[in-house]
Amino acid sequence: MAQKFAPRTLGVVGAAVCALALSACQDQASSGGGARDYISAVGSSTVYPFATAVGEKFAEATGNKTPKIDSTGTGGGFERFCSGVGGDTPDIANASRRMKKAEFDTCVANGVKDIVEVQIGIDGIALGEATRGPGFQLTEEDVYKALAANPYGQPNTAKTWKDVNPALPAVAISVFGPPSTSGTYDAFKELILAKGCDANPQMKALKDSDKDKHEATCTTLRGSPYYVEQGENDNLIISKLDKNPTSLGIFGFSYLDANMGKIKGVPVQGVAPSYAAIADGSYPGSRPLYIYIKKAHVGVVPGLAEYVAEFLKGAGEGGYLNAKGLIVSPAAVAATAKANGTGMTALNGAELK
């Protein structure tokens, strides 16, 4: 059984025990035991291309092994990250939404008590179509009426986009998107679907009178063939659009930005997904991206602090991640992220929802 890293404790005796345990883990790292000599990260498929680019730069600069990064989806990443402390658990969770209070509490219950939150930048939930697609122009309400299982509390009978809005093309509603374990899925429901639902005054009032009913009515998606989950692989969605030119896809902006030869962005509320529109907040699907670091692993897993520093460097103004579609955070947010990542400041779970 792999030896666990000791949880962080208070007091002289606790610190001494922790130091001895960490030392033992470091010895195991060199002998192929339970601890690792490489960084392990899990989570968001949206953050994945940024994390891998940082991993390559980090390995080149430090001579450490290239980090092992798994695209599990944000929810799946938090589940693994919060399973405990030790060499058989990840060091980092990549996330395309903020950690939930329930996830933080699970972490703490499993001994993951010092978690460092670093916002690495901003992304957009892009709707896209093939370059030879119909040229959709959608509102949040159009998207809601097309994809909600029970729009405004009634079964969804719309089969074509024209059924949703007479001004839209008479083509079948077909949207390829992320699974429920994805932060992109959660953010899409919150930033696009729920807003489309709340365009209806009765639904907006329902939010105050019956929050659970509002959430079920406004954010429950209908299934295939209207909304088809494609797993934690945004590149697969890009490929599906190329073969299905009247379909739409939902993915992180960086994937749209990297595949402009194959796909084009779909304007929502009259605003097309672009670097500038996401940066200034005018695009409806703008959202922050994060990495979460297990502080107990810093100083145990070789290069973990240096990897975080490299991420901050790449995500900064003029950094190499900008060219890959990562939008720089506002100055104040970026300063907080740098302070957290440099000082390894633990997150206060009380501020989470």
Side-chain angles (χ1 to χ4, degrees), residues 45-127:
S45 61
T46 301
V47 178
Y48 177 81
F50 305 131
T52 53
V54 171
E56 290 168 3
K57 291 278 189 182
F58 158 79
E60 290 172 9
T62 65
N64 286 327
K65 288 187 176 180
T66 303
K68 183 178 184 295
I69 301 167
D70 292 331
S71 178
T72 63
T74 297
F78 280 136
E79 186 175 343
R80 287 174 59 182
F81 179 81
C82 292
S83 64
V85 176
D88 55 352
T89 67
D91 311 307
I92 294 174
N94 300 323
S96 55
R97 60 164 171 78
R98 201 176 192 197
M99 178 179 274
K100 298 175 182 177
K101 181 65 164 61
E103 291 164 334
F104 180 87
D105 291 344
T106 298
C107 266
V108 172
N110 290 332
V112 186
K113 297 181 180 179
D114 287 329
I115 302 166
V116 179
E117 177 186 79
V118 175
Q119 182 177 326
I120 58 166
I122 305 170
D123 183 45
I125 303 162
L127 272 71

Side-chain angles (χ1 to χ4, degrees), residues 107-198:
C107 266
V108 172
N110 290 332
V112 186
K113 297 181 180 179
D114 287 329
I115 302 166
V116 179
E117 177 186 79
V118 175
Q119 182 177 326
I120 58 166
I122 305 170
D123 183 45
I125 303 162
L127 272 71
E129 63 181 331
T131 52
R132 63 187 189 283
F136 283 98
Q137 300 265 345
L138 300 174
T139 66
E140 293 159 343
E141 194 168 14
D142 291 336
V143 178
Y144 172 69
K145 288 179 178 179
L147 295 183
N150 298 287
Y152 313 124
Q154 302 298 319
N156 199 334
T157 59
K159 295 184 177 179
T160 72
W161 286 99
K162 197 173 184 65
D163 295 335
V164 168
N165 179 342
L168 295 175
V171 297
I173 298 168
S174 169
V175 179
F176 300 111
S180 58
T181 53
S182 170
T184 301
Y185 180 94
D186 292 335
F188 169 71
K189 292 197 302 180
E190 177 185 348
L191 299 175
I192 304 290
L193 214 63
K195 287 182 181 178
C197 178
D198 288 344

Side-chain angles (χ1 to χ4, degrees), residues 222-235:
R222 66 200 302 204
S224 181
Y226 307 104
Y227 182 84
V228 184
E229 295 185 9
Q230 293 299 303
E232 296 292 349
N233 186 347
D234 289 14
N235 283 318

Side-chain angles (χ1 to χ4, degrees), residues 23-37:
S23 177
C25 286
Q26 286 171 324
D27 290 342
Q28 282 190 346
S30 61
S31 62
R36 286 177 279 97
D37 60 352

Side-chain angles (χ1 to χ4, degrees), residues 252-272:
F253 170 73
S254 61
Y255 286 87
L256 170 66
D257 193 50
N259 290 278
M260 286 296 193
K262 296 179 180 177
I263 57 175
K264 58 188 177 183
V266 171
V268 178
Q269 301 296 114
V271 182

Side-chain angles (χ1 to χ4, degrees), residues 117-122 288-291 312 329-330 333-334 337:
E117 177 186 79
V118 175
Q119 182 177 326
I120 58 166
I122 305 170
L289 301 179
Y290 301 89
I291 60 172
L312 287 165
S329 297
V333 174

Side-chain angles (χ1 to χ4, degrees), residues 116-118 293 305 308-309 312 336-345:
V116 179
E117 177 186 79
V118 175
I293 305 100
V308 175
L312 287 165
T336 299
K338 185 175 182 180
N340 288 347
T342 303
M344 290 294 161
T345 307

